[in-house]
Amino acid sequence: MSAVEPLAWRRTPAKRKARQLATTLRQERPDYVYLKEVFRQLRAELGIVVPRTPKRLPYVPTEEEVRRYYDTVWKTRKPGDLVLIKTLLYTGVRVSELVDIRLVDVDFDRCQIRINKGKGGKDRVVPFPSAFKETLALHHDRLRQRGASYLFESSWKKPYSDRGVRRLLERYATAAGLPQPISPHRLRHFLLTWLKTQGVDDALIQPYSGHASRQSLEIYSRLAIADAQAAYADTMGRFPV
């Protein structure tokens, strides 16, 4: 409060006011949900508007940056890293979903990967380009022969961690001299943005993007994944890498 503000306008300290409110509310045996609704109604009664922090547009790498990044990965001649980064680029999966992919989740006949319990606990399938099938199959076979369970796991048969994947991507971004670090989510943004700039409709992107909204729920009821994958396959022939 301002020093020149009248004494009558001084507020009760927040802790004391909380105790006063607690005395009133305790008899209701409130839980979190009840309290949340009470304070929502209280804000409405007092005409208090919750300030919204403006959302900043996410940084999306340019095509030239993605090519430079991919070239840097390619020159290291580390097949496992190359497959991991291509999987992120081609499918747009979240890092938590990537590290949870098992060998049995890859369907080479349909060029699809099953994502189990993705964001929101929902299962879905994501496509990958047919041109990536052979490279992914060789990686898949190497892992299978050494008794692995996950598509990306260490030689100690431990699945990669979120943090490990993020560090891997950051190292390559630094080696490529990119102005911004590369994260799994930025590769996801790149794919979804690129598909949209190529003219692929949102309705065809959402069934495998993992986005959940009122609009996407309506789309799921009308659109089959086969329709979405046909548009995806037709467009990915022009992908930068």
Side-chain angles (χ1 to χ4, degrees):
M1 299 294 292
S2 169
V4 298
E5 210 165 348
L7 184 64
W9 287 99
R10 287 183 183 172
R11 292 171 175 164
T12 304
K15 190 171 183 178
R16 188 189 306 168
K17 181 56 66 178
R19 286 173 179 165
Q20 293 171 359
L21 292 172
T23 301
T24 304
L25 288 168
R26 192 167 283 115
Q27 61 187 352
E28 304 289 346
R29 296 184 179 180
D31 57 14
Y32 175 79
V33 174
Y34 179 76
L35 281 178
K36 185 177 178 180
E37 180 61 19
V38 166
F39 281 96
R40 189 182 73 81
Q41 296 292 344
L42 186 60
R43 287 197 303 271
E45 288 289 332
L46 296 173
I48 296 172
V49 178
V50 179
R52 301 290 182 186
T53 303
K55 288 188 176 181
R56 298 179 62 186
L57 290 174
Y59 164 73
V60 180
T62 65
E63 287 193 27
E64 190 276 330
E65 288 172 342
V66 167
R67 288 193 188 96
R68 206 161 89 208
Y69 184 77
Y70 177 78
D71 286 344
T72 301
V73 179
W74 173 257
K75 288 173 184 175
T76 65
R77 296 294 191 268
K78 292 184 178 179
D81 293 357
L82 191 67
V83 172
L84 185 149
I85 288 167
K86 275 196 165 186
T87 301
L88 286 171
L89 271 169
Y90 290 155
T91 66
V93 294
R94 300 174 177 91
V95 64
S96 58
E97 298 168 342
L98 177 87
V99 298
D100 202 39
I101 297 172
R102 293 177 176 268
L103 296 180
V104 295
D105 296 328
V106 184
D107 184 338
F108 289 102
D109 291 332
R110 294 185 175 88
C111 290
Q112 293 176 350
I113 298 173
R114 181 178 178 83
I115 302 300
N116 299 297
K117 295 182 180 179
K119 190 173 182 180
K122 295 177 181 177
D123 297 345
R124 71 183 192 282
V125 295
V126 294
F128 58 84
S130 58
F132 182 48
K133 183 194 294 190
E134 183 177 353
T135 301
L136 184 59
L138 289 171
H139 172 83
H140 186 282
D141 195 51
R142 281 195 299 270
L143 271 290
R144 183 183 57 78
Q145 287 184 24
R146 74 184 195 200
S149 298
Y150 291 87
L151 188 60
F152 300 106
E153 67 176 46
S154 70
S155 54
W156 297 281
K157 296 185 179 179
K158 295 287 186 182
Y160 284 10
S161 66
D162 290 26
R163 182 180 295 179
V165 173
R166 292 179 191 280
R167 286 178 176 172
L168 178 81
L169 267 60
E170 287 171 3
R171 285 199 300 271
Y172 282 120
T174 300
L178 297 185
Q180 295 268 5
I182 293 292
S183 67
H185 216 68
R186 284 179 173 173
L187 295 182
R188 172 179 167 83
H189 280 314
F190 177 81
L191 172 67
L192 299 181
T193 302
W194 185 85
L195 288 171
K196 194 164 183 178
T197 60
Q198 297 300 303
V200 179
D201 191 89
D202 286 348
L204 295 170
I205 296 172
Q206 285 192 344
Y208 55 80
S209 70
H211 283 137
S213 66
R214 289 182 181 177
Q215 283 185 324
S216 66
L217 292 176
E218 293 171 5
I219 288 163
Y220 290 143
S221 67
R222 301 198 306 266
L223 190 68
I225 186 66
D227 299 323
Q229 190 155 351
Y232 170 91
D234 181 60
T235 306
M236 288 302 286
R238 302 189 295 274
F239 199 69
V241 298

